[in-house]
Amino acid sequence: MVTIIISIDPSTKFLFEIVEILKSNSIKFNLIEVHPYTESYTNCLNFIAELPENSTILFFGHGQDNQIYGGELLGNFTKQALVKKNEMGIFKTQNLFLLACDSASLIKSSFRIAKTNKAIGFGPLPTEIEEIENDKKLANEGITLDTIELFKNAINETITLGLLEYFKDESQGFIFLKDYINLLLNKRINKAIIEEDNRNLADLLFNMKNDMVLY
């Protein structure tokens, strides 16, 4: 069983493209949208708790090294923790894919609590100009809004292609999924450098590849 959980948030709206492409390729999955109100958070957690063992859970949204977030509506409902580090046991015996900032650190630090079959996470994924400005190293590289948009497109492209290949034969496991996404990111980095002459985009993609973990 495959479940996609996506937090409803203006800044993560672009990730719906992944959902739509998977759907258009006849990939069967449950879709859980975590809207910006408490009941939606609770309903999502109840759904996760009832999933059978060995399910595949794909989470698309925001995260930190100690939690993943639910939905947000600016000015009305500030995003809150959907699952905190000490609550990661809700994913026990599942295959977990967290497309969220700093989810690699969350997976590493909560591994003994979560007891997932396999889990894939990522490092920082700066998709807003504020995230660039708050990172001293990135802020000095002169990354523009145009580069951020290209990075968001590249995230969608590589993750979608990786998932489509994985779903052709899920018995290949998450090791295959990580390796294939790694291959796709390498190709996209080469394209950014050789064809597009965009070193900043290549650096963002390299960081994404380098920080990705499998546990």
Side-chain angles (χ1 to χ4, degrees):
M1 177 181 289
V2 178
T3 297
I4 296 177
I5 300 170
I6 186 165
S7 297
I8 304 303
D9 179 324
S11 63
T12 56
K13 186 178 179 180
F14 74 99
L15 295 172
F16 263 101
E17 181 181 340
I18 301 174
V19 176
E20 293 304 318
I21 294 175
L22 293 178
K23 190 181 298 182
S24 68
N25 279 271
S26 301
I27 304 301
K28 295 182 180 179
F29 55 86
N30 299 307
L31 178 62
I32 305 299
E33 298 179 358
V34 188
H35 290 267
Y37 53 88
T38 303
E39 184 181 3
S40 184
Y41 279 55
T42 302
N43 290 341
C44 175
L45 294 174
N46 289 340
F47 186 91
I48 295 170
E50 294 299 322
L51 285 172
E53 293 184 357
N54 304 310
S55 296
T56 295
I57 301 172
L58 312 176
F59 173 83
F60 303 152
H62 285 299
Q64 288 185 332
D65 59 5
N66 63 344
Q67 60 197 352
I68 51 174
Y69 288 102
E72 178 173 45
L73 182 59
L74 298 178
N76 288 277
F77 189 96
T78 302
K79 67 177 179 288
Q80 301 173 18
L82 177 66
V83 179
K84 296 179 181 178
K85 174 184 172 179
N86 63 354
E87 300 166 339
M88 288 289 285
I90 197 171
F91 298 118
K92 183 179 179 181
T93 70
Q94 310 293 13
N95 299 302
L96 182 63
F97 183 92
L98 296 180
L99 184 60
C101 284
D102 299 318
S103 54
S105 296
L106 174 61
I107 288 170
K108 288 179 184 178
S109 63
S110 67
F111 180 72
R112 292 184 179 180
I113 299 169
K115 296 182 180 178
T116 52
N117 290 337
K118 292 294 180 183
I120 292 175
F122 296 84
L125 298 170
T127 55
E128 296 180 279
I129 195 65
E130 292 80 9
E131 293 172 310
I132 298 294
E133 293 170 347
N134 291 333
D135 186 306
K136 290 183 179 179
K137 182 179 178 181
L138 294 177
N140 292 329
E141 291 184 6
I143 294 173
T144 64
L145 282 171
D146 287 341
T147 301
I148 292 173
E149 288 303 312
L150 289 172
F151 182 51
K152 288 159 66 173
N153 290 338
I155 291 173
N156 281 353
E157 174 189 342
T158 53
I159 298 302
T160 300
L161 290 174
L163 289 172
L164 286 174
E165 194 66 26
Y166 167 72
F167 286 129
K168 288 180 181 179
D169 181 6
E170 293 178 53
S171 67
Q172 299 175 105
F174 263 30
I175 294 175
F176 167 82
L177 176 57
K178 178 182 181 291
D179 288 345
Y180 197 74
I181 291 174
N182 191 76
L183 173 64
L184 293 168
L185 285 170
N186 278 332
K187 289 182 176 180
R188 190 62 186 86
I189 290 167
N190 288 337
K191 181 179 179 182
I193 294 172
I194 298 171
E195 298 181 24
E196 301 170 353
D197 191 26
N198 192 332
R199 173 62 65 174
N200 284 340
L201 175 58
D203 286 345
L204 290 174
L205 291 166
F206 176 80
N207 291 339
M208 179 179 175
K209 179 182 77 75
N210 201 44
D211 293 335
M212 181 172 51
V213 300
L214 170 71
Y215 267 75

